[in-house]
Amino acid sequence: MSRTLYKIQSSIILPVILFTSLPAQPQQIIRPGEVWPDNNGNHIQAHGGGIIKLNKTYYWYGEERSKGLDTQYRYVSCYSSKDLTKWTFRGHVVKMADPENLGRKWVLERPKVFYNKKTTRFVMYFHLDNGSYKVAKVGIAVSYQPDGPFTFVKSFRPLGHESRDIGQFIDDDGTAYLVFEDRPFGFRIARLSEDYMDVEKEMSLVKEHMEGGAIVHYNGLYYSIGSALTGWRANANKYATAPSLEGPWSELKDIAPPGTNTYGAQSTMLIKVVGKKSTTIIFMADIWKPATQWDSRYLWMPLEIGKGKLWVPEPKPWSLNIKTGEWKYVAADPKKQ
Ligand code: GAL
């Protein structure tokens, strides 16, 4: 073969070989209810969690419930992601010993982190309690980095009320709110103070008992969701709508076929992904496994939402395009992450 012919042939053949032998790009899939591996291959430990977005990075904080942790401490884990699908473990951002003599079974649950632009501090709220859930307070811990370490500052009852499950909501104008379950009265929505170190103003009291409370602002309406009070057992989660955070709130309606008990999950947050083509609201929920908490799973599904209606479609593997904001079901599931 002449030298020139060889060159011509290889310049044609080589790219063809390279192209055909390249492994298929792994599909980035969210699989509701399945083990969700982080960058190290470990199941994500961010139960009862919350998510914030800073620039292009999402941070997911939640309860760390791995096996074999030192039982005198409570841990909060942090994960980061650019696409809400592949998550990098950023460490245990909280490793806290009982801060207030609450006893061996003390509780730190549902951590929610807010970033305060003015003070440049990350302010974490969490449910702080004793083993019988009688203390009913929020705790606050702060850090100057998203990945901690967070230092405990104080605990209190927001606006003097009992507070167990909490949720976070940041409105489109950047204002930060805490939602909390006040057992004697209902579900409260309250604005944080300017430095986020306090709960300052009540917006609404929804006279319904809702745990795992979450809110989203979508096309001019506020949607709040939550679960009934059945502990770790799943129940039929509900939603209400209002034209403003001050209400008036509509009656509660189902978010999924009630017989499925929200497909075995409990709400924890609503994430709004505003892309170039579409806006997707993700229902983020926990499938608790009380006897094997480390194996508790996540149920994330894009919502059908609009004009006062909200519905969680039947959970199936799906993928999200973070740039366009579009999502789709993944028909053939190649079991690769
Ligand atoms: C649930 C609550 C969880 C945890 C659990 C304890 O209702 O949402 O965060 O507190 O009860 O039984």
Side-chain angles (χ1 to χ4, degrees):
M1 195 191 298
S2 81
R3 250 205 144 108
T4 2
L5 190 58
Y6 173 79
K7 268 193 186 157
I8 292 169
Q9 277 192 348
S10 59
S11 68
I12 297 167
I13 292 163
L14 206 64
V16 170
I17 295 172
L18 268 179
F19 185 74
T20 49
S21 64
L22 268 181
Q25 276 293 100
Q27 289 197 60
Q28 301 307 330
I29 302 169
I30 294 179
R31 298 187 174 89
E34 294 195 25
V35 164
W36 195 337
D38 68 5
N39 60 311
N40 301 318
N42 299 320
H43 180 45
I44 291 175
Q45 293 291 326
H47 313 285
I51 289 189
I52 49 167
K53 187 182 181 198
L54 286 178
N55 302 319
K56 290 193 169 162
T57 305
Y58 291 91
Y59 294 90
W60 180 2
Y61 298 89
E63 299 160 20
E64 160 69 73
R65 292 180 176 274
S66 299
K67 270 196 270 191
L69 293 171
D70 187 336
T71 54
Q72 67 171 302
Y73 298 107
R74 301 293 174 266
Y75 300 81
V76 176
S77 284
C78 174
Y79 297 82
S80 63
S81 174
K82 300 262 189 222
D83 58 12
L84 287 169
T85 307
K86 285 174 276 130
W87 291 94
T88 300
F89 180 56
R90 304 291 294 256
H92 293 150
V93 298
V94 168
K95 179 185 175 188
M96 196 185 292
D98 179 353
E100 295 182 346
N101 280 322
L102 298 162
R104 206 170 50 83
K105 294 198 168 164
W106 74 282
V107 167
L108 186 167
E109 287 177 345
R110 298 192 173 269
K112 306 284 178 257
V113 173
F114 298 87
Y115 175 64
N116 190 292
K117 279 192 193 139
K118 287 196 185 123
T119 63
T120 70
R121 287 208 295 202
F122 292 82
V123 181
M124 180 187 290
Y125 276 70
F126 51 85
H127 173 195
L128 181 67
D129 226 314
N130 64 3
S132 52
Y133 289 90
K134 290 283 188 295
V135 172
K137 292 205 235 173
V138 291
I140 290 188
V142 297
S143 167
Y144 281 96
Q145 268 84 43
D147 33 17
F150 282 80
T151 314
F152 179 72
V153 179
K154 61 177 175 178
S155 77
F156 59 97
R157 282 189 165 178
L159 301 164
H161 299 297
E162 291 187 17
S163 171
R164 290 184 177 82
D165 276 15
I166 58 165
Q168 73 186 122
F169 171 58
I170 298 166
D171 208 342
D172 298 335
D173 65 2
T175 313
Y177 300 89
L178 187 77
V179 301
F180 58 102
E181 191 260 319
D182 174 10
R183 195 64 49 92
F185 299 101
F187 174 81
R188 292 188 194 265
I189 304 164
R191 197 179 66 209
L192 301 189
S193 62
E194 221 179 290
D195 62 2
Y196 295 178
M197 297 300 286
D198 211 343
V199 177
E200 193 176 71
K201 182 177 185 290
E202 179 162 306
M203 309 305 292
S204 275
L205 164 64
V206 184
K207 290 186 182 147
E208 302 280 355
H209 294 283
M210 297 215 283
E211 294 194 318
I215 297 181
V216 71
H217 188 180
Y218 180 73
N219 276 357
L221 263 189
Y222 291 87
Y223 295 74
S224 69
I225 57 161
S227 79
L229 278 56
T230 57
W232 302 120
R233 276 181 306 112
N235 55 61
N237 293 190
K238 310 257 186 205
Y239 79 98
T241 58
S244 118
L245 283 179
E246 287 165 304
W249 289 92
S250 71
E251 285 178 342
L252 294 183
K253 292 176 202 143
D254 285 312
I255 69 168
T260 69
N261 284 333
T262 325
Y263 311 107
Q266 182 189 21
S267 60
T268 185
M269 177 128 194
L270 294 168
I271 310 164
K272 178 150 111 177
V273 180
V274 182
K276 292 206 173 94
K277 289 195 189 154
S278 177
T279 295
T280 290
I281 312 293
I282 304 171
F283 173 65
M284 175 178 167
D286 295 285
I287 300 177
W288 297 108
K289 299 201 178 179
T292 51
Q293 280 285 16
W294 55 89
D295 190 35
S296 294
R297 307 289 173 85
Y298 309 98
L299 186 145
W300 286 26
M301 276 305 292
L303 286 177
E304 292 167 16
I305 187 169
K307 300 193 175 128
K309 299 246 160 48
L310 180 156
W311 191 252
V312 185
E314 194 195 335
K316 284 185 205 154
W318 59 285
S319 68
L320 174 70
N321 183 327
I322 204 78
K323 292 210 176 91
T324 65
E326 296 165 309
W327 71 274
K328 58 173 197 267
Y329 282 119
V330 181
D333 185 358
K335 282 274 170 204
K336 274 187 198 156
Q337 193 80 4

